[in-house]
Amino acid sequence: MAARLLRGILKELRSLSPGPGGIYRESAAYKYITEQFRKNQVTSEKLCRAQQELYHQASTYRCLLQSVRQHQALHQEYHGKRERPTGEVAQLVGLKLPQQPGGKGWEK
């Protein structure tokens, strides 16, 4: 279970780092995380409160990294570089504007 968590964190670090694939391994975050996982390995089957706390912190950190990545993707997709018309914004969120009868206005 800890190995899956470590892989998840490293996957998020890899997606956040610019450049070719191996550069993220030289970052301080990568080195710190792998060092902490190695340092806090439990080799016996006894229950350790500190190990559970570290596991919780690591899963919270992974959640934070996933949220940052998803936020950046959404921001790039929906952040407008210009003012959009009301109809286009409504379509963007899946709504339709009401049609006015008669074509010009509410007159018959």
Side-chain angles (χ1 to χ4, degrees):
M1 193 134 104
R4 186 183 327 157
L5 181 60
L6 177 62
R7 281 193 306 267
I9 292 173
L10 296 180
K11 176 184 169 191
E12 294 301 326
L13 282 178
R14 187 174 36 241
S15 70
L16 289 175
S17 69
I23 289 182
Y24 78 99
R25 291 184 180 189
E26 298 170 6
S27 70
Y30 176 86
K31 291 176 183 175
Y32 177 77
I33 290 169
T34 53
E35 175 188 325
Q36 291 300 310
F37 267 86
R38 286 186 186 123
K39 186 172 88 173
N40 293 300
Q41 283 181 344
V42 175
T43 55
S44 65
E45 292 295 323
K46 61 183 175 181
L47 181 63
C48 179
R49 171 180 259 172
Q51 181 70 19
Q52 296 300 324
E53 289 174 8
L54 290 172
Y55 181 78
H56 177 70
Q57 286 178 348
S59 64
T60 304
Y61 185 63
R62 181 185 61 184
C63 181
L64 171 69
L65 289 173
Q66 287 173 342
S67 299
V68 167
R69 178 181 47 84
Q70 291 171 353
H71 175 265
Q72 287 176 343
L74 287 172
H75 182 73
Q76 286 178 351
E77 184 175 345
Y78 293 110
H79 183 69
K81 294 182 174 71
R82 59 178 171 80
E83 191 71 26
R84 295 182 181 178
T86 309
E88 187 179 334
V89 173
Q91 285 180 345
L92 189 65
V93 296
L95 300 174
K96 291 183 181 179
L97 291 178
Q99 297 295 322
Q100 296 180 348
K104 291 185 178 181
W106 295 102
E107 310 91 29
K108 290 187 180 181

